[in-house]
Amino acid sequence: MIEKPTLLSIATDPGGEVVHIHADLSSLKRLRSELERMIENLEQDQCDHTHLRPEDWAGYELTTSMLEAEKAAGFRQVHHLKISSWNDIWKIKNDL
């Protein structure tokens, strides 16, 4: 079973233009593992995606916390991060 993260939190500024990620070592290793899996699939020309969510959004990959300064500045918690990997064919088909 995959261990729950102790700190992998994402927040955006009020306009959604700045993203802050807070992570500890175990969570960064988990994220790296997920990205490596996606890279391996893409090297076989297979597009892939993953979803990261906290428990209150039916997941276990993210935590929900932010710095007090972020809260005071009106930052918003990200509850769903979807990462997609695209091969050349699908990049063109989707105008990416």
Side-chain angles (χ1 to χ4, degrees):
M1 182 171 163
I2 297 173
E3 186 178 321
K4 289 182 182 180
T6 54
L7 177 63
L8 182 54
S9 180
I10 304 169
T12 67
D13 72 335
E17 296 177 3
V18 177
V19 176
H20 290 191
I21 298 175
H22 304 284
D24 61 10
L25 182 59
S26 66
S27 296
L28 286 175
K29 286 182 177 182
R30 164 118 178 34
L31 182 57
R32 177 178 63 190
S33 174
E34 192 69 21
L35 293 173
E36 286 174 349
R37 180 189 61 76
M38 293 177 72
I39 289 168
E40 289 173 9
N41 286 340
L42 204 51
E43 287 174 338
Q44 296 177 24
D45 207 31
Q46 297 173 7
C47 297
D48 198 358
H49 73 278
T50 189
H51 299 267
L52 307 178
R53 295 178 292 249
E55 285 187 53
D56 58 337
W57 276 57
Y60 59 88
E61 305 87 2
L62 294 179
T63 58
T64 53
S65 59
M66 68 176 76
L67 299 173
E68 286 301 320
E70 293 169 340
K71 290 178 186 177
F75 274 60
R76 298 180 54 182
Q77 190 75 50
V78 171
H79 296 282
H80 185 179
L81 174 65
K82 180 178 178 182
I83 303 172
S84 300
S85 60
W86 303 92
N87 61 21
D88 289 337
I89 292 170
W90 282 98
K91 282 191 299 187
I92 292 167
K93 283 185 179 185
N94 288 285
D95 292 324
L96 298 171

